[in-house]
Structure formats: structure tokens, C-alpha cells
Amino acid sequence: MSPEMPKRRPGLATVFASVLSASLAGVGPLAGQAGSEAADGGPFPGAWPFAIGQEAEYAVTFGPVRFGRMHLRVEAQDTIRSTPAYRIAMEMKGSIPFYRMDDRSVSWLATEPYRTLRFEEILHQGDYRRHQRWELDHDALTATREDWDEEIQAYRPHRRQRDLPIPQGALDEISYLFLIRTLPFAVGQNYEFDRYFEEDGNPVIVEVLRRERVRVPAGTFETFVVRPIIQTDGLFGEEGQAEVFISDDDRRLIVQIKSRMRRGSVNMYLRDFEQNAADADR
């Protein structure tokens, strides 16, 4: 029997990513997709359409309580095992009485074809700490966990969580945050996907619910409203009522997220968006 990918404890930043990752976690729609598909079998563009230096900032609330800020960035282009990859990062900082969070998650995304090469998490959530990364081998279709060793200031491979199976073209949460902006939408369209790198999270279903004009700190936007349903418990599982608002323009900004649960609601609102000069000329 092959080993199974273990369940990871999600931080709020990772949970934020999970609701968005549902929109691009696989290879095709249930019905009604517009446009052509890329050569790797997914609804992705032929070239990476976002410039290094792009950054989006979000205000985060728990119900009526202000919690903190979320940032999404295209930081750089690196080389991972001789393959060029974009380094895209998500950071969450915030606090409420008796609880603080300082999370950073990073994905290295190759684009020919689209696939995650490395995924790193550095989480500080109250008394909880985690500093680890996953190395994804797409030739062997496996992933190996590595944990940070403070004594040697380097990563060490985990003793047991090695060579765990991943789907073809596996992608992590952070990669999807940018890929979602390339996906064509039409109201009433449903998608089913199975490329999330933790196989127990597949499949995910995405429903394109409606168009809606929304006002957030960054301005007023015409948006598509998308509901993801992922195979997990908690905030964005089948019992949750999460909606993601994506701008209906060439930028395809993630404008707003609303999620209602029995214990309360989590909301995220776009405050600012920056792009470098080369990107602005597109």
C-alpha cells in the first residue's frame, strides 16, 4: 500500500488560499467552458500573464472585528532544480485579544506546463508553529516533506513523509490564487477539478453564481461571484457558504471573499493593488 499525503493544519492564510484554489485545481469543467485549453490539458494560458512586482493587499475581519492584513505578491523568478519558476507569496499578519498570527506561504510555479515545484509554509499562530516545505517531483509523481532544523539552519527530509503520491500536474494553494485570474467564467457554469497536490482534497467543484457590483476599500468593481466546494471540513467545506468575488475585467482581481459558518464569518476585502510599469503598459 502506498503512503498517503498527511492532513496539514491550515492557517488563515492557507484557508484563504483553499477557497480560491478550488477554482483552478484541475483539468476541465462539468459544463459550459468558453475558450480553448492549453496544451497541458488545463484551462490555462500559453504564457505567464502577470508581471513580477504585482501585489494585492486585503483587509481581513472576523465578523465585525478587524483582524489584520493579507498580501499576495509575485516576488521573483527563481530556478528550482534547473527549471525556471515564479515565486509567488502570501502573507497574513493580524491579532485579536489573546491570539496573534504571522504566516508566510510561498509557491514556486513552473509554467511550461503549469505545475508546482516547491511549496513552503512558515506559520506562527498563537502557540502553534510550523516551518516546512514540500518538494514535488513531477517525473515520479511524488512529494516529499522537509522540516526546518534550527540547529543547522537548513531543511531536513522527513523520516516518513517521503515519496507521497500526487496527481499529474499537481498544484498547491498559492499557485491557484494567480491562475484563477486566467479562467473564463460564465454565469451558471460549473467546474470539477482534481489537480490539488493533496489527493484527499480532490475533487473540488466550482459554481459560477452571478455577476455583482461590489464596493471595497480599493474601489467599486463589476465581479463574477464564484462558490467553491472542496472536500474538507471547516470554513470552506461543504457546510460552509463561501463566495469569491473576481473582477470582470482584464486584471481579474480577487476583490472580496465572504464565508459564513456556524461559529461566525470571515471576510476579506481588497484594499490596494499595485503593478509595475511594464505590466501597466499591457
Side-chain angles (χ1 to χ4, degrees), residues 16-260:
F16 173 81
S18 296
V19 67
L20 299 175
S21 71
S23 296
L24 276 182
V27 297
L30 292 174
Q33 174 167 326
S36 61
E37 293 190 350
D40 64 341
F44 307 139
W48 178 248
F50 307 116
I52 294 170
Q54 286 192 358
E55 178 176 355
E57 179 183 346
Y58 299 84
V60 182
T61 65
F62 287 141
V65 179
R66 295 180 181 178
F67 178 76
R69 294 286 187 266
M70 171 81 74
H71 291 86
L72 306 175
R73 301 184 182 94
V74 182
E75 291 188 331
Q77 189 172 35
D78 297 333
T79 300
I80 305 297
R81 297 183 295 278
S82 301
T83 301
Y86 286 93
R87 186 175 79 232
I88 51 181
M90 178 171 56
E91 295 178 349
M92 165 71 80
K93 293 185 179 181
S95 64
I96 54 177
F98 309 109
Y99 183 85
R100 297 182 63 86
M101 175 183 290
D102 187 353
D103 286 3
R104 174 175 166 85
S105 299
V106 185
S107 173
W108 284 262
L109 174 67
T111 61
E112 296 181 1
Y114 280 101
R115 63 205 188 280
T116 296
L117 302 181
R118 175 181 292 164
F119 179 57
E120 179 182 63
E121 292 180 308
I122 305 173
L123 308 183
H124 297 158
Q125 304 167 10
D127 295 332
Y128 177 77
R129 300 288 186 272
R130 181 168 75 209
H131 188 167
Q132 67 183 36
R133 72 183 183 191
W134 290 90
E135 297 287 351
L136 277 65
D137 183 339
H138 291 269
D139 293 327
L141 292 181
T142 60
T144 294
R145 170 182 162 183
E146 297 181 342
D147 294 321
W148 182 256
D149 189 316
E150 289 288 348
E151 291 186 4
I152 65 172
Q153 292 291 293
Y155 281 102
R156 287 182 179 272
H158 194 272
R159 289 181 297 175
R160 293 181 292 107
Q161 295 177 10
R162 302 187 183 192
D163 300 324
L164 305 176
I166 59 174
Q168 184 76 39
L171 297 164
D172 71 283
E173 297 104 329
I174 312 303
S175 301
Y176 300 143
L177 299 182
F178 294 86
L179 293 175
I180 190 175
R181 294 156 61 188
T182 71
L183 186 66
F185 290 131
V187 174
Q189 192 173 50
N190 292 338
Y191 289 83
E192 182 174 315
F193 304 111
D194 61 2
R195 282 177 63 175
Y196 183 51
F197 86 106
E198 294 183 283
E199 290 187 323
D200 287 347
N202 294 311
V204 296
I205 297 172
V206 177
E207 302 171 351
V208 185
L209 300 178
R210 63 187 184 276
R211 295 176 184 265
E212 184 174 330
R213 177 178 293 180
V214 298
R215 185 175 181 180
V216 295
T220 300
F221 298 84
E222 299 292 340
T223 69
F224 283 102
V225 184
V226 175
R227 174 182 293 157
I229 303 172
I230 61 179
Q231 309 304 309
T232 60
D233 297 326
L235 193 62
F236 302 115
E238 293 180 287
E239 294 183 0
Q241 299 182 39
E243 293 184 344
V244 182
F245 297 71
I246 302 168
S247 67
D248 183 15
D249 57 28
D250 291 341
R251 297 173 299 173
R252 284 299 182 92
L253 301 176
I254 300 160
V255 172
Q256 178 175 277
I257 295 177
K258 291 187 173 182
S259 182
R260 298 190 303 274

